[in-house]
Structure formats: structure tokens, C-alpha cells
């Protein structure tokens, strides 16, 4: 089977009000996922060995919401299915591996088993929940985090970013990262992707396909021991994305990647290895995270970007379309839009609709709403 082939490869927000829309507590910086939680015991499924369902073709227009693993495995999952039944939502982006390194369901991938990545199962009945999505015509997209994996970093230190002072390097939130120069990190992601398709997901979406976005002073102590021949961060990301694409395409599903929103505008790789032209000529779909709260004051000559969601999203996606226009091949653009509050003002349904309208005015009909808690207002 395809899964067997992959498995055999060598592995070389400001305040928390009660209610919808708030992302983070008062002292937490911006992150894309919830804080890690300790493993929670579950009655676990057998490794995924049931016959794979038919690959689900993508809708012509994808309108999705993000579900973290805890939400996917909870009762609230069924509330979100009902939300999709009564709105234009037709797809769910579901964490298969988040930035804790743990998996949502039991795995047969040797590395995952060996490091204990499937010892904190969040959705022991994943097979049933994917069947529910198919029954409701909801397109299932598997999100797999690549380079931000503290579990893999701890268990495979040779694959990880080292600290000049000894041991593993850590970011501001004390997460260890694996080394994006290391081939094995990307092969592991591909193996998990093959398993996700076998489980029933119709699209593979890879996140953190980059180097850490940390201040220069902190990066000064980071040592990338897998780097060869003075390879640049840009070249490393581009090379590994091509490798990941080549491993994914035989599975018959779209290969999609999440990228910083600013890559659509920036000239260089913004220090993380992501350059728009590299991304848009490699993936089938590129998902720029154009969250207004993540742009600094004065960007696009907007004094307070978080207060002007329409303007920020419109400008960012205009740049993305302009830079993609001359490219061949050219990825589809499907932005992540901000459905959370991070700093003033508090985001309301009107702010989310403004972002959707901005994308449509640029000619982009597909999008994903991001709320790290998986909470979405029907309005």
C-alpha cells in the first residue's frame, strides 16, 4: 500500500471576555495553537489499517473552519457539523499533528510510535467522525505541523535545533524545534500525511514549513547542525517543499501549505525561509495567514491594522494575486482569515464578514476561518 511505502522510507487577544472571538489570555503572545496540555489517556483505536475510503474531491470553492484536535474529538464537533449544515461552511481543517507533536489518533508510522506521538489521543473515534463528515458532505483537510515539534525534538535530538550553550534550543515560549534543514523531519511529515489520507482525509495541509520566527538575539544561539554546504534558509524550505510535494502527489490529494501572510508582500524570506514565488510554484494551494492582528502598525500605511480588517486583507491578497499572476505553475490562493480577538478591538461577526468580502473583492472565493478554540458564531 502507499502507506507501507511511506513507512519504509529511510528517515535521514488582549483579554478573555465570556463569549465568541477571543483568542488569548492577557499575558500570552500571539500563537497559532492552544498551549500544550498533558497527555490524556483514552481507549485507543487499533493502528489505522481499515480500508481507506474513496478520496474526497475538493469542492470548487472551499469555505472552511479550523478545528483543533480537542474540538474534533469533543461533543462540540457535532455542533460544528450542524453549523456547516446551515451555513456556507463545507470543509473542516483538522489537526492531525499540532505544535505539541502529538497526534489526534493512533498511528502506525514507526517514528510516531517510537517517540510516543500517539500517546495523547484526542479523537479515539476518528474513523467515525470522518465518516460523519463524509455523510454531511464536509470536506476533511488534515493539518500537519512540520518544524515546530517539541516532542520529536526531544526524542530525536539529532534532528533538532541545538543551542550554542548545550542541549536543545528553545523559542520564546520554551518550545523546542526540529531542524528544517534535516530531510528526516520532512519525510516524517509525509508519512503522517499518507496515513491521514488512508484514514479518510481528502487534502493534506502542512504548517510551520519554515524556520523559527524569533528575535535576532535569540536566534544567535540556534545551531542548525543538519545544514549542508552553507545552504540558505530559503533554499532549504524550497527544496524540502518540493520533496514533500513529490511524496504527497502519488496519494492523489491536494498538497497545500500554510504560510505567513507577509510573504505576499515582503521581498525577502522574512528570516524564516518563505518566499512567495517558491511557495506558489510548488503547492497546489497556498494559504496565507492574513490576520490583521499580526501586522505591525504602519504596514500598508495603516496606523492600526487590527482595526481595519477589510483594508489589510484586501491589500495582502492583492499583493498575492499580483505576484502569482506571472507564475507557472501557479497555486490557488485560499487565505486564513481572523476569527479571534487579539488586542483591541474585539472581533465581531461583522469583522469576519469584512475579511470575506475583501477576499471576494480581489476575486478569491475560498477561505478558512481560524479560531484556535474552534468557536464560531453562525452570523
Amino acid at each position: 500500500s502507499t502507506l507501507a511505502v511511506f513507512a519504509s522510507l529511510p528517515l535521514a487577544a488582549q483579554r478573555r471576555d465570556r463569549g465568541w472571538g477571543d483568542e488569548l489570555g492577557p499575558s500570552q503572545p500571539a500563537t497559532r495553537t492552544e498551549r500544550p496540555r498533558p497527555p490524556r489517556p483514552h481507549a485507543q483505536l487499533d493502528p489505522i489499517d481499515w480500508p481507506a475510503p474513496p478520496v474526497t474531491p475538493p469542492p470548487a470553492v472551499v469555505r472552511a473552519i479550523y478545528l483543533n484536535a480537542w474540538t474534533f474529538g469533543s461533543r462540540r464537533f457535532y455542533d460544528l457539523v450542524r453549523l456547516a449544515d446551515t451555513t456556507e461552511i463545507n470543509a473542516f481543517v483538522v489537526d492531525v499533528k499540532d505544535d505539541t507533536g502529538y497526534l489526534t489518533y493512533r498511528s502506525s508510522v514507526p517514528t510516531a510510535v517510537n517517540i510516543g506521538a500517539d500517546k495523547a489521543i484526542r479523537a479515539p473515534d476518528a474513523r467515525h467522525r470522518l465518516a460523519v463528515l463524509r455523510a454531511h458532505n464536509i470536506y476533511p483537510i488534515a493539518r500537519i505541523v512540520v518544524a515546530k515539534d517539541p516532542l520529536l525534538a526531544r526524542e530525536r535530538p539529532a534532528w533538532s535545533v541545538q543551542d550554542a550553550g548545550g542541549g536543545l534550543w528553545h523559542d520564546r515560549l520554551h518550545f523546542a524545534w526540529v531542524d528544517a534543514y534535516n530531510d528526516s523531519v520532512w519525510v516524517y511529515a509525509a508519512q503522517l500525511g499518507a496515513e491521514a489520507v488512508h484514514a479518510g482525509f481528502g487534502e493534506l495541509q502542512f504548517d510551520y514549513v519554515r524556520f523559527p520566527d524569533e528575535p535576532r538575539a535569540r536566534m544567535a544561539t540556534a545551531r542548525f547542525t543538519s545544514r549542508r554546504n552553507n545552504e540558505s534558509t530559503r533554499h532549504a524550505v524550497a527544496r524540502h517543499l518540493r520533496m514533500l510535494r513529490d511524496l504527497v502527489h502519488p496519494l492523489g490529494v491536494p498538497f497545500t501549505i500554510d504560510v505567513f501572510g507577509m510573504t505576499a508582500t515582503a521581498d525577502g524570506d522574512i528570516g524564516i525561509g518563505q518566499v512567495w514565488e517558491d511557495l506558489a510554484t510548488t503547492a497546489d494551494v497556498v494559504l496565507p495567514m492574513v490576520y490583521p492582528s499580526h501586522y505591525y502598525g504602519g504596514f500598508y500605511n495603516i496606523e492600526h491594522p487590527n482595526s481595519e480588517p477589510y483594508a489589510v486583507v484586501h491589500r495582502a491578497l492583492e499583493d498575492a494575486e499580483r505576484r502569482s499572476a506571472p507564475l507557472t505553475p501557479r497555486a490557488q490562493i485560499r487565505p486564513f482569515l481572523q476569527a479571534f480577538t487579539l488586542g483591541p478591538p474585539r472581533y465581531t461577526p461583522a469583522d469576519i464578514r469584512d475579511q470575506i468580502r475583501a477576499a471576494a473583492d480581489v476575486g478569491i472565493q475560498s477561505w478558512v476561518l481560524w479560531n484556535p478554540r474552534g468557536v464560531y458564531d453562525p452570523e
Side-chain angles (χ1 to χ4, degrees):
S1 69
T2 303
L3 179 58
V5 171
F6 273 78
S8 67
L9 288 171
L11 292 180
Q14 174 205 356
R15 59 192 177 91
R16 189 176 295 280
D17 294 328
R18 291 183 180 178
W20 171 82
D22 297 276
E23 184 183 28
L24 302 171
S27 61
Q28 293 174 279
T31 65
R32 293 213 51 228
T33 58
E34 294 182 331
R35 301 285 291 182
R37 306 185 191 187
R40 185 174 67 178
H42 276 301
Q44 296 186 352
L45 290 174
D46 291 332
I48 295 175
D49 57 1
W50 59 83
V55 172
T56 305
V61 174
V62 173
R63 291 172 175 166
I65 54 175
Y66 161 76
L67 280 67
N68 65 46
W70 303 100
T71 300
F72 180 63
S74 73
R75 288 191 299 269
R76 188 144 48 90
F77 165 79
Y78 298 99
D79 295 332
L80 294 174
V81 170
R82 285 188 286 272
L83 177 72
D85 287 343
T86 57
T87 67
E88 71 269 45
I89 298 300
N90 62 7
F92 285 2
V93 174
V94 177
D95 276 339
V96 165
K97 177 168 79 82
D98 62 20
D99 70 357
T100 68
Y102 285 100
L103 303 179
T104 298
Y105 46 72
R106 186 75 177 270
S107 178
S108 298
V109 172
T111 297
V113 174
N114 291 339
I115 69 173
D118 61 351
K119 300 303 183 186
I121 302 303
R122 290 80 177 269
D125 58 345
R127 169 175 23 184
H128 164 73
R129 290 170 189 264
L130 287 166
V132 169
L133 295 185
R134 290 194 299 273
H136 287 257
N137 294 314
I138 298 171
Y139 181 55
I141 301 170
R143 175 178 177 261
I144 298 172
V145 170
V146 178
K148 189 176 182 180
D149 189 329
L151 175 65
L152 183 62
R154 184 178 74 238
E155 298 297 325
R156 294 288 185 272
W159 298 5
S160 305
V161 184
Q162 307 295 313
D163 192 275
L168 298 180
W169 176 89
H170 295 84
D171 66 15
R172 286 167 290 181
L173 297 179
H174 207 67
F175 281 104
W177 287 58
V178 288
D179 187 344
Y181 285 108
N182 189 293
D183 293 358
S184 300
V185 167
W186 301 81
V187 173
Y188 176 47
Q191 292 172 343
L192 295 176
E195 186 168 65
V197 173
H198 191 72
F201 284 96
E203 177 174 313
L204 298 178
Q205 183 184 112
F206 296 93
D207 200 358
Y208 287 91
V209 288
R210 59 178 177 83
F211 289 83
D213 56 316
E214 291 291 307
R216 185 174 299 177
R218 184 168 289 274
M219 292 302 299
T221 65
R223 298 292 179 266
F224 297 89
T225 57
S226 296
R227 184 182 184 190
R228 296 171 296 189
N229 302 320
N230 293 317
E231 185 176 35
S232 68
T233 54
R234 173 184 179 177
H235 186 270
V237 169
R239 176 171 64 86
H240 283 111
L241 284 176
R242 291 192 297 269
M243 183 180 79
L244 195 53
R245 174 200 62 197
D246 292 345
L247 292 172
V248 165
H249 272 175
L251 301 170
V253 300
F255 167 62
T256 72
I257 54 176
D258 301 341
V259 304
F260 268 25
M262 291 181 189
T263 60
T265 301
D267 292 328
D269 75 349
I270 59 177
I272 60 173
Q274 292 185 348
V275 174
W276 183 262
E277 285 73 13
D278 300 341
L279 309 168
T281 53
T282 303
D284 297 310
V285 180
V286 173
L287 293 100
M289 300 172 286
V290 291
Y291 310 136
S293 63
H294 286 33
Y295 290 79
Y296 57 81
F299 208 94
Y300 297 132
N301 294 317
I302 299 172
E303 182 176 355
H304 189 238
N306 202 29
S307 299
E308 299 191 40
Y310 176 90
V312 171
V313 170
H314 194 277
R315 288 288 301 276
L317 296 182
E318 272 189 326
D319 284 349
E321 289 282 17
R322 172 181 54 79
R323 291 178 66 169
S324 287
L327 303 178
T328 304
R330 181 171 65 246
Q332 296 178 19
I333 300 171
R334 183 196 304 160
F336 267 103
L337 303 178
Q338 179 171 329
F340 57 85
T341 292
L342 180 59
R346 186 175 185 278
Y347 266 46
T348 68
D351 296 302
I352 283 72
R353 290 197 301 270
D354 280 348
Q355 295 174 75
I356 292 170
R357 182 167 55 87
D361 288 349
V362 176
I364 296 173
Q365 303 298 326
S366 294
W367 38 260
V368 184
L369 302 184
W370 177 278
N371 182 294
R373 296 187 294 122
V375 179
Y376 302 96
D377 190 312
E379 294 185 15

